[in-house]
Amino acid sequence: MFTRINAGKLGYMPIGYKLTLSYMVFTVILVSVNGYVSHSMYDTSMREQTRQNIQGTMLQIRDNVAYKADDMTRISTTLYEDYSLVQSLRANESYLGGNYKRMTEVIMPKLDNASKSIGLSLRLSVYFHNESVNEVYHRREDGNSVDIPEQTYDIYHMKRIIDKSWYKQLPEEQYSATMQWSQIEQDAGEDRISLIRRMVDTNNPLKLEEVGIMRFSVKLADLFDSVDYMKLGKGSVLLVKDSAGQIIYTSADPESELSDHTPDNGFMTIDEKMGRQDWTITAHVPITVIKQEAVKVQNYIIGICMLCFVLFTFAGGFISRYFSKRITKFVSVLNAFREGDLHKRIAYRGKDEFAQIAHALNGMGAEIEALINKVYLTQLQKKEGELEMLQLQINPHFLYNTLSSINQLAKFGQTEKLQKMVVELAKFYRLTLNSGRSLIPVTLELEQTGAYIAIQKVKYGSRMEVDFDIDAAVWPYETVKLILQPFIENVLKHAWSGDRIHIRVIARKSGDDIIYRIIDDGMGMRQERFNEILDPYDERNTGCGIRNIDQRIKLHYGSQYGVTIGSRIGIGTSVQIRIPAKRRKLVRNHNSIEE
């Protein structure tokens, strides 16, 4: 009867159709998400694996280049630290026999050994300040000579390079550390690069005297023979750059689509630093191969997803029809309950979950009325508890002490302080009562705290100093009321360690939270003490006011908010109160609107 009546209504859709459509929607989402995630994970995995492989190859290339560069550095260090060579270069052998012996027995053999000590196309040029040393060279410095043999050495006087810019730009000498890689003279035209280094006299370690300049020139192809794009794959580009970003050497596939060696979205770029030489080896690897593999996997995943969609759709239609027939049996009973008829029951045969639902529906009618009464009673008890909490917030002990202070001021005729204390007391209780609201603007909470401090300032005078550090970002928000004053009162009762005390009140907005801090420089307390204060199961009266505040905050906002205390004996105590940043609402009050 229920089905026939509702079937004629506009927009009615049987539960079976809804289940089928819902199942299809979730199936589409599930299959799509699964396919997308699978493809993304595979693509990411492929990229990461490729990057790791390339990274390993780049490390090998870097180590090979560094080994050859360090080998040249080692040779230069051998000459740099050769004391007998330096002493020969400093000696002024004016007579022919002595100069010949120096050249043939010391200088030339050492330079010849240095030029041939490694298997690179090395050209060693040295420039000496001592002009008594003979020049020996295979070519002129203007670079016009041809067919210059490799693994040779040339000896020149410093006057040939004294005005050269590359010599003037050498950095200040630091013992055994200053050296420079650069393309100078004919290096660029001959595809070479030079290691430039001074030779110094170390007799006076406080002032290293330059004896000469060493220039080791090597072919780029020999130094960077391991920088080969084929190690990374077809279409790749390998670049070696100096510290200024200038390209020193390039190894690129002629068919590479990377124009001007500038990376774009079609290339994976990896850099490897060579710290000692201050070079960077950069690899640009095309990701077309990865994309091709990804397309194959993508087509495979799409096919699997389509098959799963078809199978899940048929299965969903069958399952939804099975359950929809049983669900419609309960609809009439539910409509009766909705109309207030709690006496209607349903009979269902079976031992599955539907039987349990039928049993629950049969018991629901009798329980709803009792549940409604129970909820109503609970709400009344909650309201009564809130009223009782509000009454407890008005501290009679504080009121008694304040009235006693007022009596003393009146007794001694201090009318100005008397008037100020009465005004602040009235202001304090006006803000505390606050029309019975438990949530108030942050401004009122700080104003109420200021009123309390003003009352205590009359009592303690200069012995008590209070600073406020308030972030203006907290003004638009609301807070549980009366959560700052009890902590300040606690400081004034228990924290004195001398005849003066300093209190700092801080309010900050931190992310989606508001954080209050009350910091004092009092006597402090032990860890066990503030653990007892915040223990909700401690039945003693120790710190009940502070524990009350912590529990109120947790009841309003959740267990992640509340009070934390940090303290050290003899240093002071820091209390932190964390609440969520919730904007205050406008409250209509008769003919006015207040926040």
Side-chain angles (χ1 to χ4, degrees):
M1 182 66 179
F2 174 82
T3 305
R4 287 198 301 269
I5 292 174
N6 287 276
K9 292 183 178 180
L10 182 62
Y12 171 79
M13 181 180 292
I15 187 66
Y17 293 161
K18 292 181 179 180
L19 287 175
T20 302
L21 291 176
S22 301
Y23 189 87
M24 290 179 64
V25 169
F26 283 110
T27 299
V28 170
I29 295 174
L30 178 62
V31 171
S32 300
V33 170
N34 181 65
Y36 175 80
V37 171
S38 300
H39 178 265
S40 299
M41 291 177 63
Y42 177 82
D43 185 71
T44 302
S45 177
M46 285 290 295
R47 288 175 181 268
E48 185 60 28
Q49 184 64 38
T50 302
R51 176 176 287 275
Q52 291 178 0
N53 293 339
I54 296 173
Q55 196 83 43
T57 304
M58 291 285 288
L59 288 173
Q60 294 178 357
I61 294 174
R62 183 200 66 182
D63 292 342
N64 290 336
V65 174
Y67 176 81
K68 292 186 177 181
D70 290 344
D71 213 12
M72 292 182 61
T73 302
R74 177 184 57 79
I75 297 171
S76 68
T77 302
T78 301
L79 297 177
Y80 185 93
E81 296 178 350
D82 193 331
Y83 182 75
S84 62
L85 176 62
V86 172
Q87 293 305 311
S88 297
L89 294 175
R90 287 184 55 83
N92 189 3
E93 301 290 350
S94 57
Y95 65 96
L96 182 61
N99 191 35
Y100 176 80
K101 182 178 181 180
R102 174 178 61 177
M103 293 293 295
T104 58
E105 294 182 4
V106 180
I107 298 177
M108 295 174 63
K110 290 181 181 292
L111 296 181
D112 186 59
N113 288 336
S115 65
K116 297 177 179 179
S117 59
I118 59 176
L120 296 177
S121 57
L122 187 66
R123 295 177 185 172
L124 171 59
S125 300
V126 291
Y127 304 84
F128 297 139
H129 285 281
N130 188 353
E131 295 191 2
S132 70
V133 177
N134 295 334
E135 287 190 331
V136 178
Y137 50 83
H138 296 81
R139 58 175 178 172
R140 299 205 312 271
E141 280 296 283
D142 58 10
N144 292 329
S145 299
V146 295
D147 298 329
I148 302 301
E150 302 298 344
Q151 294 186 323
T152 59
Y153 64 91
D154 298 318
I155 302 175
Y156 302 102
H157 293 154
M158 284 295 296
K159 62 185 180 181
R160 292 180 178 272
I161 63 168
I162 198 70
D163 294 326
K164 299 286 187 178
S165 59
W166 62 266
Y167 171 71
K168 294 180 179 180
Q169 293 172 0
L170 283 176
E172 183 178 351
E173 181 66 21
Q174 295 183 3
Y175 181 75
S176 194
T178 302
M179 62 188 71
Q180 188 177 72
W181 287 90
S182 180
Q183 287 185 308
I184 61 173
E185 304 294 345
Q186 298 83 26
D187 283 346
E190 297 179 1
D191 291 328
R192 305 178 73 89
I193 191 169
S194 295
L195 171 63
I196 306 168
R197 192 171 184 180
R198 291 187 179 93
M199 298 180 69
V200 297
D201 184 359
T202 59
N203 280 335
N204 183 3
L206 298 179
K207 184 178 180 182
L208 300 175
E209 181 180 353
E210 181 181 279
V211 176
I213 297 293
M214 296 180 288
R215 173 191 169 196
F216 295 84
S217 177
V218 64
K219 285 185 178 180
L220 292 173
D222 287 348
L223 183 60
F224 301 117
D225 63 340
S226 60
V227 183
D228 185 1
Y229 75 91
M230 289 302 295
K231 295 180 179 180
L232 303 181
K234 189 175 181 180
S236 301
V237 175
L238 273 171
L239 307 174
V240 181
K241 302 177 182 178
D242 60 16
S243 58
Q246 298 297 321
I247 298 176
I248 302 174
Y249 184 78
T250 302
S251 175
D253 188 346
E255 299 179 0
S256 175
E257 298 178 357
L258 192 63
S259 61
D260 299 328
H261 311 310
T262 302
D264 57 21
N265 293 333
F267 286 80
M268 179 186 297
T269 301
I270 299 177
D271 293 329
E272 275 296 331
K273 296 285 187 180
M274 294 181 61
R276 189 167 183 178
Q277 290 77 27
D278 203 13
W279 294 337
T280 301
I281 301 178
T282 301
H284 300 305
V285 182
I287 59 176
T288 53
V289 176
I290 303 176
K291 288 185 176 180
Q292 291 173 358
E293 292 295 326
V295 169
K296 294 180 182 178
V297 175
Q298 180 180 357
N299 294 334
Y300 174 79
I301 292 175
I302 290 176
I304 294 296
C305 291
M306 293 298 295
L307 179 61
C308 291
F309 175 77
V310 173
L311 294 177
F312 289 164
T313 300
F314 280 106
F318 174 80
I319 295 172
S320 63
R321 183 178 180 184
Y322 174 84
F323 286 107
S324 64
K325 289 181 178 180
R326 285 151 180 78
I327 291 174
T328 53
K329 295 181 180 180
F330 300 100
V331 174
S332 59
V333 175
L334 292 175
N335 282 334
F337 288 173
R338 183 180 60 185
E339 294 172 359
D341 184 4
L342 304 178
H343 302 288
K344 192 171 183 179
R345 300 292 181 266
I346 184 173
Y348 184 86
R349 296 179 180 179
K351 296 182 180 181
D352 55 9
E353 288 78 7
F354 287 106
Q356 298 180 20
I357 296 174
H359 179 72
L361 286 175
N362 291 336
M364 185 180 297
E367 294 179 357
I368 286 180
E369 185 175 1
L371 180 61
I372 291 174
N373 292 334
K374 183 178 179 179
V375 171
Y376 179 74
L377 181 60
T378 301
Q379 292 295 330
L380 289 178
Q381 291 174 346
K382 181 179 178 181
K383 291 297 182 182
E384 290 174 359
E386 291 177 352
L387 291 174
E388 183 179 356
M389 180 70 70
L390 182 60
Q391 294 299 322
L392 291 175
Q393 290 171 354
I394 304 175
N395 192 331
H397 181 66
F398 161 68
L399 178 60
Y400 172 79
N401 289 339
T402 304
L403 292 176
S404 177
S405 298
I406 291 173
N407 179 54
Q408 291 296 322
L409 293 175
K411 182 177 181 180
F412 290 102
Q414 297 181 6
T415 57
E416 184 176 350
K417 290 185 177 180
L418 173 63
Q419 181 184 7
K420 183 177 180 181
M421 182 170 284
V422 171
V423 170
E424 295 298 336
L425 180 63
K427 181 179 180 181
F428 175 81
Y429 275 100
R430 173 178 60 82
L431 295 171
T432 301
L433 294 174
N434 194 41
S435 302
R437 284 184 289 161
S438 60
L439 297 176
I440 62 174
V442 173
T443 53
L444 294 184
E445 175 66 14
L446 294 171
E447 188 177 354
Q448 186 266 349
T449 304
Y452 174 79
I453 291 173
I455 294 172
Q456 299 302 324
K457 191 70 176 175
V458 174
K459 178 179 179 181
Y460 293 104
S462 61
R463 297 171 58 203
M464 167 187 172
E465 295 183 9
V466 181
D467 294 332
F468 282 87
D469 184 2
I470 310 302
D471 184 1
V474 304
W475 296 132
Y477 301 96
E478 66 180 12
T479 179
V480 177
K481 73 174 182 178
L482 207 64
I483 59 176
L484 296 179
Q485 179 269 333
F487 288 101
I488 298 175
E489 181 179 358
N490 192 66
V491 172
L492 297 177
K493 283 183 179 180
H494 305 292
W496 294 88
S497 61
D499 59 350
R500 296 176 64 86
I501 195 164
H502 180 266
I503 305 173
R504 188 179 182 193
V505 180
I506 302 174
R508 289 279 186 273
K509 185 174 184 293
S510 176
D512 294 331
D513 297 337
I514 292 176
I515 296 178
Y516 299 108
R517 287 189 177 91
I518 300 96
I519 305 172
D520 68 75
D521 59 355
M523 62 187 300
M525 56 182 170
R526 291 185 172 85
Q527 177 75 32
E528 297 80 6
R529 172 66 175 171
F530 52 79
N531 286 343
E532 292 175 359
I533 291 175
L534 295 178
D535 186 1
Y537 301 104
D538 193 337
E539 297 180 354
R540 295 172 292 181
N541 290 328
T542 301
C544 59
I546 296 176
R547 187 160 55 245
N548 185 346
I549 294 172
D550 185 55
Q551 292 175 352
R552 285 167 54 207
I553 293 174
K554 284 180 168 56
L555 286 173
H556 271 282
Y557 302 121
S559 58
Q560 68 270 37
Y561 301 100
V563 179
T564 55
I565 303 175
S567 181
R568 293 184 65 182
I569 297 296
I571 295 179
T573 302
S574 174
V575 176
Q576 176 176 293
I577 307 171
R578 180 183 293 272
I579 64 172
K582 292 188 176 181
R583 290 189 175 272
R584 58 178 183 254
K585 301 177 181 178
L586 295 178
V587 180
R588 296 186 177 273
N589 185 12
H590 300 293
N591 296 326
S592 64
I593 299 178
E594 62 177 1
E595 291 186 337

